[in-house]
Amino acid sequence: MSERKVLTKYYPPDFDPSKIVRSRGPKQVGPKLQPVRLMAPFSMKCLSCGEYIYKGRKFNARKETTDEAYLSIKIFRFYIRCTRCSAEITFKTDPKNMDYECEKGAKRNFEPWREAKLAEETDEERLDRLEREENERDAMKELEAKTLDAKTEMKIADALDEIRTRNARNERAGKDGEVATVRDERDLERERQDREDEERARAAFMSGTGDKIRRLGDEIELGAMDGQTEASVSAAAAVAEMPPPPLPTFKRTVKKKTDFGAKLGIKKKPSLV
């Protein structure tokens, strides 16, 4: 079993250290990039896929020292990749505002120095900004007014169409004042078929002499109804002849005691008194 931590290495018998040639790779061109582990200093949105990266997410980044400086303070640039689409995102330090500045690949959700600029603006700048906002609001109000005007015009046009239709219907009225209604051909055909069906049914239930034919079920039902009427009349007469029920009394009645000894065959001794 081999050792976990190897302290000595094996050299074969034919090993010649003079054959090992020491060579150096090409020098790196441009600024030196140092791999570092960092957390996102601010929340941002990727411009490639729209992924939101929250503040404090950890990344394996590359750190670059730029030639820029602010009051002899070096500015560093960091390269990270989006967690969803692997697009490159760069941001650098901002010593002036004691913050970071997003450069490429993403958009910052909130920039605190904008609030500071708004707090430092003069009265004229504030008036100009309010005037611009008011103009934007006026544009929205104008758009709403146009929409309301369009709806009103549509309602007026519908009302005019209805008035024209009513006037045309009144013009088609007859001499006696009856309005000639225009019916659909389908409705007329349906009414004609209904009339024909009614005539066929009436002719089928009429005898040769012109009398209406009764069904057996109708006669049975009539007889049953007559029988039920007679039974109900007789029952009402019987109820009328019955005597009225006795009135309830609240007098206390003494119940006779049960002789259990006689039931069991036990004879009482005669009293000597």
Side-chain angles (χ1 to χ4, degrees), residues 16-55:
D16 188 4
S18 61
K19 293 182 179 179
I20 299 175
V21 179
R22 192 172 185 179
S23 61
R24 295 182 179 180
K27 291 185 178 180
Q28 185 178 359
V29 180
K32 185 179 180 181
L33 297 177
Q34 178 184 359
V36 293
R37 180 80 170 171
L38 57 80
M39 292 189 293
F42 49 83
S43 60
M44 65 188 84
K45 177 185 176 182
C46 179
L47 297 178
S48 299
C49 63
E51 176 74 10
Y52 283 94
I53 301 172
Y54 58 87
K55 180 180 179 181

Side-chain angles (χ1 to χ4, degrees), residues 227-241:
Q228 289 178 1
T229 306
E230 294 176 359
S232 60
V233 170
S234 60
V239 170
E241 293 177 358

Side-chain angles (χ1 to χ4, degrees), residues 61-119:
R62 292 173 296 155
K63 177 182 175 183
E64 176 187 352
T65 305
T66 62
D67 298 333
E68 304 175 10
Y70 174 76
L71 299 178
S72 69
I73 299 174
K74 291 184 179 181
I75 295 176
F76 300 98
R77 182 179 287 110
F78 299 93
Y79 299 86
I80 61 174
R81 291 193 175 275
C82 177
T83 56
R84 185 178 179 183
C85 64
S86 299
E88 191 175 56
I89 300 172
T90 63
F91 57 89
K92 63 181 180 180
T93 57
D94 187 7
K96 182 178 180 180
N97 298 313
M98 294 181 293
D99 204 351
Y100 290 84
E101 180 183 355
C102 190
E103 282 189 323
K104 185 182 70 174
K107 180 181 179 182
R108 188 166 181 172
N109 296 336
F110 174 71
E111 296 178 350
W113 56 82
R114 290 187 178 179
E115 298 293 334
K117 287 182 180 179
L118 291 176

